[in-house]
Amino acid sequence: GQQVMQIPQYQHVQEGEDFTTYCNSSTTLSNIQWYKQRPGGHPVFLIQLVKSGEVKKQKRLTFQFGEAKKNSSLHITATQTTDVGTYFCAWNYGGATNKLIFGTGTLLAVQP
Amino acid sequence: DAGITQSPRHKVTETGTPVTLRCHQTENHRYMYWYRQDPGHGLRLIHYSYGVKDTDKGEVSDGYSVSRSKTEDFLLTLESATSSQTSVYFCAISAQSIEQYFGPGTRLTVT
């Protein structure tokens, strides 16, 4: 079945360093969503991208959707300890029903 | 946070016993989902509902059944629990095809 691969699985950074996670698919995606899950918590929606080449920013977070709509990235500038958690991309393959296939996630650890 | 609760939050059960997990929402959202989360697999959709008494299978539905008799409640049943069903189970709700709101999760251990 359709898979959404996410790399890296884990990244450890010093506070203030940048961080990027990548999401890749072998087929064209209609959209991509990003979620953050704090340790011991539940996933929280961050953003949805739908257009080819789309770039959206939320404060220090920059989200990109590739031109071919087969990949996406999340970049965090100057990480803070509050950024700790697992970041997941997800593809809505169900249209209006919003059925999601999640990537395997990237766990970000930030050392103060 | 959206009004979603899950019960129980933790459960330990023995292989072969039936288990029912409950998801309750106060948002009146149409869509409800059950996921399981396991290391290395992210979240995988088990079943979802698009209305009262309207449900369908997700990626990993074998061994699970669901029911939705009211808008606010979505039940997940393991008819005969197996050790491979040890996992963290999340319920989610959605009003439309954008964000999903997740509940706090249920940690299920099958011994």
Side-chain angles (χ1 to χ4, degrees):
Chain A
Q2 174 69 38
Q3 288 191 343
V4 179
M5 307 304 295
Q6 197 170 345
I7 56 171
Q9 289 187 18
Y10 173 79
Q11 182 134 24
H12 177 264
V13 300
Q14 296 286 329
E15 189 171 21
E17 293 181 338
D18 292 355
F19 160 77
T20 305
T21 175
Y22 301 90
C23 196
N24 298 295
S25 170
S26 58
T27 60
T28 302
L29 305 175
S30 52
N31 59 79
I32 199 84
Q33 297 182 11
W34 285 92
Y35 290 78
K36 175 185 178 181
Q37 183 177 23
R38 295 183 185 275
H42 58 274
V44 175
F45 174 83
L46 295 176
I47 208 161
Q48 174 170 276
L49 307 172
V50 296
K51 297 178 182 178
S52 170
E54 189 170 14
V55 178
K56 288 188 176 180
K57 293 189 176 183
Q58 291 179 350
K59 297 183 180 179
R60 294 178 295 102
L61 277 60
T62 301
F63 304 85
Q64 290 189 308
F65 202 7
E67 293 289 341
K69 300 181 76 173
K70 291 185 177 182
N71 56 75
S72 181
S73 65
L74 159 58
H75 179 82
I76 302 179
T77 303
T79 55
Q80 300 175 358
T81 55
T82 54
D83 296 325
V84 165
T86 301
Y87 293 85
F88 292 98
C89 61
W91 169 46
N92 173 4
Y93 70 100
T97 62
N98 203 16
K99 293 186 292 183
L100 298 178
I101 288 180
F102 279 82
T104 49
T106 296
L107 174 59
L108 171 64
V110 180
Q111 184 167 354
Chain B
D1 284 346
I4 312 169
T5 56
Q6 292 184 231
S7 59
R9 295 292 314 278
H10 301 271
K11 185 169 183 66
V12 180
T13 192
E14 293 185 349
T15 298
T17 59
V19 177
T20 295
L21 308 183
R22 179 179 183 242
C23 177
H24 179 78
Q25 62 148 328
T26 58
E27 306 295 323
N28 201 35
H29 283 354
R30 176 181 178 184
Y31 301 101
M32 298 185 75
Y33 314 83
W34 277 107
Y35 292 89
R36 60 177 290 172
Q37 184 172 32
D38 305 288
H41 289 280
L43 292 106
R44 291 180 292 174
L45 182 65
I46 304 171
H47 282 279
Y48 72 101
S49 170
Y50 48 97
V52 173
K53 297 187 180 179
D54 291 324
T55 65
D56 206 349
K57 296 178 179 180
E59 293 176 80
V60 290
S61 59
D62 288 348
Y64 301 95
S65 62
V66 290
S67 66
R68 191 172 178 194
S69 58
K70 298 184 290 184
T71 298
E72 57 267 34
D73 290 326
F74 192 32
L75 303 180
L76 176 71
T77 297
L78 291 65
E79 300 291 346
S80 178
T82 67
S83 58
S84 64
Q85 293 176 312
T86 292
S87 187
V88 178
Y89 291 87
F90 285 100
C91 174
I93 63 174
S94 176
Q96 53 188 352
S97 58
I98 307 181
E99 66 258 54
Q100 292 188 9
Y101 301 97
F102 285 79
T106 294
R107 184 172 295 275
L108 176 67
T109 302
V110 183
T111 61

